[in-house]
Amino acid sequence: MTACRLFLIAWMAVAAAPAWAADTAPPAAAAPSATALPTPAQILEVPAPLLALLHERVIDPGYSRERRLQRLVEMIFDEHGLHLAYDPDATHTITETWQTRRANCLSFTLLFVTLANLAGIDAHVQEVAQVVSWYQASGVIYSVGHVNAGIVLDGRSGTVDLDHSVLYDPLGPQRITRQRTLAHFYNNRGADHMATGDTGGARAYFRAALGMAPDFVAAWNNLGVLDARIGALDQARRDYETALRLQPRHGASLSNASALYRRMGDTHQAGLLASRLARVQRNDPFAQYMFGAQAEQRRDYAAAVRFYRRAVRLYETAHPFHFALARSYFLAGDARRASIEMQRARDLAGENGDALRSRYQAKLDSLQRWRQRGTNAN
């Protein structure tokens, strides 16, 4: 299980606001499919046993809001409550989370925000546009976003996150609507169906996501991938054009559209989009970090250093970037610069918890001992 804890950051005075909008309409009609999509009400329905547990452990004892918040987190994670475990593939309804005791960041956030609101705690869903996370499966490279819960308590705001080690993009978590939250759910489910080859189910879910949020770029991009896979190239082109009209610097759509035009024989347009993508990536610290990781995997440590250094210049306070740069410096034979970057990673990690800071300190101590042995040998 991923280490989970209450992660409160950037407490500040704010004006309270309602957490959820009024009931959302059901998803827009999609193409015929055997897939039965859960409605918004079904996604957010709290099963009776879970509601009873919430009353018993959190609501009925009459605790203060701050104590209710603490009790809610305990109820979700301790062995006498939900005993929730992290599962990156578990895009679940609240009922499914209750039944399986497994959740990814989206399922956890849906669960937490809904239960917190029932307990009288002002909570809402927040979106992080980009995090340091990519993975590959079934020949597809996935760029992973992140959601978490924002809370307002006694005039202060904070964040509750399933994974406190996630590196957010420089903008940090941004509050989103209920409709956009549900769009994330349907889009995730669509990606799952696409990965298993269920094109009809995938399309139904992507269309449902766009029914919730017509400007949801990730779903337009995924529709493009789906249409390209089945050979509907003109429709895929229109999907990507829509995505890029909504978000001209969307890296995944630029990359996919460029590959599509090349496949269609339009090398000129493919080149234009590839050039746009390169400009976007050059100023994207996450892309530079990814390129550094790829260079490190092929043991080109000089190139890894160049990419990681640019990532650090673009996002100077990101401790994982300094740690990666330290590692590449060390592997490239520059122990002095490795020590400097490791110290910087340690110092920046301080606000992310003692365990992470201790981890960096241990690596720094090991590196300094290695350097000392080298000095004594000379």
Side-chain angles (χ1 to χ4, degrees), residues 68-121:
R68 269 178 271 158
L69 176 62
Q70 295 170 344
R71 292 282 293 182
L72 176 58
V73 173
E74 292 167 3
M75 186 197 85
I76 289 173
F77 292 114
D78 73 31
E79 61 183 355
H80 301 295
L82 269 73
H83 204 197
L84 194 68
Y86 176 70
D87 182 344
D89 298 320
T91 300
H92 286 160
T93 67
I94 291 176
T95 296
E96 290 166 344
T97 299
W98 165 254
Q99 292 169 340
T100 65
R101 305 299 207 267
R102 306 185 76 80
N104 59 13
C105 67
L106 176 60
S107 302
F108 164 77
T109 302
L110 288 172
L111 172 78
F112 180 88
V113 169
T114 301
L115 296 183
N117 289 170
L118 289 171
I121 300 165

Side-chain angles (χ1 to χ4, degrees), residues 9 55 71 103 111 125-126 132 181-182 190 195 256 266 270 272-273 317 368 372:
I9 60 172
H55 275 275
R71 292 282 293 182
L111 172 78
V125 179
Q126 300 180 144
V132 176
T181 302
L182 291 166
N256 290 332
D266 189 343
L272 291 176
L273 290 170
T317 58
Q368 290 174 339
Q372 186 63 42

Side-chain angles (χ1 to χ4, degrees), residues 124-179:
H124 55 270
V125 179
Q126 300 180 144
E127 175 185 82
V128 182
Q130 204 174 10
V131 295
V132 176
S133 185
W134 295 268
Y135 70 95
Q136 183 169 352
S138 302
V140 179
I141 297 176
Y142 294 85
S143 176
V144 182
H146 187 64
V147 297
N148 56 31
I151 56 173
V152 178
L153 188 65
D154 298 330
R156 299 175 299 165
S157 67
T159 299
V160 181
D161 204 316
L162 182 62
D163 187 352
H164 67 272
S165 66
V166 169
L167 175 65
Y168 304 155
D169 66 24
L171 289 177
Q174 302 293 309
R175 183 172 184 155
I176 59 174
T177 64
R178 186 186 193 188
Q179 287 85 349

Side-chain angles (χ1 to χ4, degrees), residues 39-56:
T39 66
Q42 289 169 334
I43 293 169
L44 299 173
E45 181 182 8
V46 179
L50 176 56
L51 186 59
L53 183 65
L54 179 69
H55 275 275
E56 176 189 341

